[in-house]
Amino acid sequence: MSRFDPTTTWIGLLGKGFGGGLIIGGSSWAVHLYNMADPRRHVRVEVRGMQLGVMGYAGAALGALIVTGCSTKADMDRLKSSGVDWALSLGASGKSALKIGAGILGKVVDLAKAAGKEGGFWAADQATKALVRWCMNDLGILQAPGRQFYLIPWPLALEVGMGGWYEYQTLYVADDKFLFKNFPPAWAVENSGKGIAFQGTGVLFQMYDVPMENGELIKLVFRDANTGDTIRWKNKNGSWYGGDVQLGRAMVVNAVVFDGMLFEEGSRTSYPGLNLNNLIPAGRVAVSFLQVKSKEQKWSNQTLRLRPEVWGIPALWTAKDTFTVRTNKDGVIEQALGNRDLRH
């Protein structure tokens, strides 16, 4: 029998509100996994299979994905599972065992809901560890040594937990395109001022729940929402952002991700976000069929409506909404106008 080792065990919840759900025509699950010894270590994965559980068909809204025997995300990439026949492993005491497990998993779900934006620290809670031990001891799975994973439906009941969960499945570490499609970040724009945490000078562009790992570089572009043109940027000293006049360097603004939040490149400050006051909108790039047109432009004492994107070919993520800023006489962004709520 395998011994529970939280350092090599990962867990994630599926269902609305947990960053995971049934996608791609019912043939794939997207799941955010947390390491049970250190929830600051996390990875987003995709589980594919011909049939991924009656949860998607019988209306059971939640479930858990448990991965064991994996020290890193590379260990779990392309891991295969043939499922488990719970009917055989539970025997005559099946209903009683499942009732106990349902109660444990219910506590884990409540913990995760309470945690909210605080992250995955529920994954290291004693109730979550009890769930994994229950799977090993009472449910009779997760016992074999080595790398393995199982999808556990909730609410657990004999008629829900059996059938449809025995198909062959494969777990993949998700790439950027998959991540931003299925785990879109939230964002907001905040002015400096009295009564808020950000006490600097300027306009702060913030992103939360960014589906990238700690220390990873994220490339942002901002489009003129009226024309679709991409904004080019200069530093306050008049030089083009990025150190030269190459289009890509002047259009793409670099930032870094920590704990799912956006920070300015090179300095993880005490408050997350990209201070747009440090950059000056100084031109635009229009892309049409087989043609790229670039021109310099200064926005003095004007308003500018922008739509943020995560750069890629094509874009990895494009915001559904826009935000409006006002510039001063020097063309520097000095204030955000209108809606400043967290949105997608």
Side-chain angles (χ1 to χ4, degrees):
M1 181 178 294
S2 176
R3 183 176 64 87
F4 171 54
D5 182 357
T7 64
T8 60
T9 304
W10 307 69
I11 188 168
L13 295 178
L14 298 81
K16 186 176 181 181
F18 294 106
L22 194 63
I23 58 173
I24 313 177
S27 63
S28 177
W29 283 97
V31 189
H32 192 170
L33 290 174
Y34 296 92
N35 182 266
M36 293 188 66
D38 182 5
R40 291 172 298 180
R41 298 177 60 205
H42 53 91
V43 60
R44 287 174 167 87
V45 300
E46 176 190 4
V47 180
R48 302 178 194 167
M50 293 299 294
Q51 188 176 4
L52 285 169
V54 293
M55 192 188 309
Y57 307 98
L62 296 169
L65 172 65
I66 301 174
V67 180
T68 62
C70 295
S71 299
T72 67
K73 68 178 184 180
D75 292 341
M76 65 182 76
D77 193 30
R78 300 181 183 274
L79 184 61
K80 295 185 182 297
S81 172
S82 60
V84 59
D85 190 338
W86 292 0
L88 294 178
S89 64
L90 289 172
S93 61
K95 287 188 177 181
S96 175
L98 286 173
K99 185 177 180 180
I100 295 172
I104 299 173
L105 183 49
K107 291 179 181 178
V108 174
V109 168
D110 289 342
L111 283 170
K113 286 181 177 178
K117 298 296 182 182
E118 298 300 319
F121 290 97
W122 57 270
D125 192 90
Q126 291 302 316
T128 311
K129 293 176 181 178
L131 173 66
V132 175
R133 292 191 180 96
W134 170 80
C135 289
M136 290 180 171
N137 300 328
D138 293 351
L139 197 57
I141 62 174
L142 301 177
Q143 291 186 344
R147 301 176 301 148
Q148 57 184 315
F149 74 91
Y150 288 106
L151 288 162
I152 312 297
W154 184 83
L156 288 161
L158 286 176
E159 60 271 22
V160 172
M162 298 179 187
W165 285 76
Y166 316 144
E167 303 295 333
Y168 284 88
Q169 303 154 0
T170 304
L171 186 151
Y172 298 87
V173 174
D175 60 20
D176 287 342
K177 182 179 179 181
F178 178 90
L179 290 173
F180 277 95
K181 178 181 178 181
N182 296 288
F183 300 95
W187 63 277
V189 181
E190 183 177 64
N191 290 315
S192 62
K194 185 177 180 180
I196 63 174
F198 174 49
Q199 295 296 317
T201 300
V203 176
L204 204 66
F205 175 77
Q206 303 164 300
M207 292 181 73
Y208 298 92
D209 300 327
V210 181
M212 300 175 72
E213 295 190 28
N214 286 347
E216 196 169 354
L217 194 69
I218 183 172
K219 297 179 179 294
L220 301 170
V221 297
F222 297 87
R223 294 189 181 275
D224 183 331
N226 296 319
T227 65
D229 297 346
T230 303
I231 301 300
R232 299 183 67 196
W233 303 90
K234 282 186 177 181
N235 300 304
K236 281 190 172 179
N237 63 11
S239 64
W240 286 102
Y241 175 80
D244 54 41
V245 296
Q246 294 180 26
L247 291 181
R249 297 291 294 276
M251 294 188 302
V252 177
V253 179
N254 292 330
V256 67
V257 175
F258 285 99
D259 297 329
M261 296 179 289
L262 189 74
F263 290 84
E264 292 193 347
E265 185 184 20
S267 61
R268 183 181 178 183
T269 60
S270 59
Y271 198 70
L274 178 69
N275 192 347
L276 298 180
N277 181 253
N278 294 330
L279 297 172
I280 300 175
R284 60 174 68 241
V285 176
V287 180
S288 58
F289 183 67
L290 298 179
Q291 193 173 30
V292 177
K293 293 183 178 180
S294 175
K295 69 174 183 179
E296 293 191 36
Q297 180 176 345
K298 185 176 182 179
W299 284 269
S300 299
N301 295 319
Q302 295 185 43
T303 59
L304 185 59
R305 191 162 65 95
L306 300 173
R307 187 184 306 276
E309 284 187 359
V310 175
W311 183 85
I313 304 176
L316 294 175
W317 168 82
T318 300
K320 298 177 182 178
D321 202 356
T322 63
F323 67 98
T324 301
V325 294
R326 184 172 62 200
T327 62
N328 62 18
K329 62 181 178 61
D330 299 316
V332 176
I333 294 175
E334 65 175 6
Q335 186 179 12
L337 306 174
N339 182 13
R340 293 191 290 273
D341 295 333
L342 197 64
R343 49 201 149 143
H344 291 87

